C-alpha cells in the first residue's frame, strides 16, 4: 500500500511563513495565529507547504489508513487554502463567511479582508471541535 505523501515534517513553520510572498505573508501569519489560538496546538509543517495543527488519524474500509493535520492551511499563489474545515458539516457557518470558494474538502479565500474575521474564527473553532 502506498504511503501518504503529506506527513508531518521537522521543517520550521516560522521559516516557511517568512518565505511566503509578501502579498500572502501577513494573511498566512494571521491565519496561523488564529488556528494556534483555537487549537492550543503548535503549528507543524505537513509536507513542504501545509501549516497544520493537531493530528487526525483515519482508516478507510479498504484498509488504507494514515494521519493528516486536523486543521491547516497553505498560502498558495491563487488563494489561502484551508483544510479540515468540515465544509458540509459547518455549512451554516460557511455561508456567513463572506467571499470564498470551495473545492473537494477545501475552502479557498483570496484575502482575509474578503471574509468576516469573527465568522472565520467560529468556523475554525467548529472544525477543531469536529
Amino acid at each position: 500500500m502506498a504511503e501518504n505523501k503529506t506527513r508531518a515534517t521537522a521543517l520550521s513553520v516560522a521559516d516557511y511563513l517568512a518565505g511566503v510572498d509578501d502579498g500572502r505573508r501577513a494573511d498566512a501569519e494571521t491565519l496561523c495565529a488564529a488556528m494556534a489560538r483555537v487549537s492550543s496546538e503548535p503549528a507543524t509543517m505537513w509536507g513542504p507547504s501545509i501549516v497544520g495543527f493537531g493530528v487526525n488519524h483515519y482508516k478507510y474500509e479498504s484498509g488504507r489508513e494514515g494521519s493528516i493535520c486536523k486543521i491547516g492551511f497553505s498560502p498558495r499563489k491563487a488563494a489561502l487554502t484551508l483544510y479540515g474545515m468540515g465544509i458540509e458539516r459547518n455549512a451554516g457557518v460557511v455561508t456567513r463567511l463572506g467571499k470564498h470558494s470551495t473545492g473537494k474538502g477545501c475552502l479557498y479565500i483570496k484575502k482575509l479582508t474578503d471574509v468576516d474575521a469573527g465568522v472565520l474564527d467560529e468556523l475554525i473553532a467548529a472544525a477543531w471541535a469536529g
Side-chain angles (χ1 to χ4, degrees):
M1 202 171 291
E3 290 214 14
N4 291 343
K5 293 178 184 176
T6 305
R7 15 177 205 241
T9 71
L11 297 173
S12 165
V13 172
D15 288 350
Y16 173 71
L17 293 177
V20 171
D21 177 57
D22 286 342
R24 288 247 180 267
R25 186 176 311 133
D27 279 357
E29 289 170 345
T30 298
L31 193 51
C32 186
M35 288 186 171
R37 182 178 65 251
V38 168
S39 70
S40 298
E41 293 276 337
T44 301
M45 291 302 301
W46 287 78
S49 62
I50 297 174
V51 178
F53 299 83
V55 177
N56 183 31
H57 187 79
Y58 58 86
K59 185 172 184 175
Y60 296 121
E61 286 183 22
S62 67
R64 179 179 164 88
E65 62 183 297
S67 296
I68 191 66
C69 54
K70 187 169 181 179
I71 60 172
F73 73 95
S74 184
R76 307 243 186 244
K77 188 172 186 173
L80 293 164
T81 304
L82 284 69
Y83 303 99
M85 295 294 103
I87 296 167
E88 291 177 11
R89 183 178 68 248
N90 298 313
V93 180
V94 173
T95 59
R96 296 185 288 115
L97 187 59
K99 189 176 176 182
H100 70 279
S101 60
T102 59
K104 189 174 182 177
C106 298
L107 178 77
Y108 303 101
I109 300 171
K110 295 232 184 240
K111 301 177 295 204
L112 288 183
T113 55
D114 288 343
V115 298
D116 182 305
V119 175
L120 181 58
D121 277 351
E122 183 181 343
L123 178 60
I124 293 168
W128 181 254

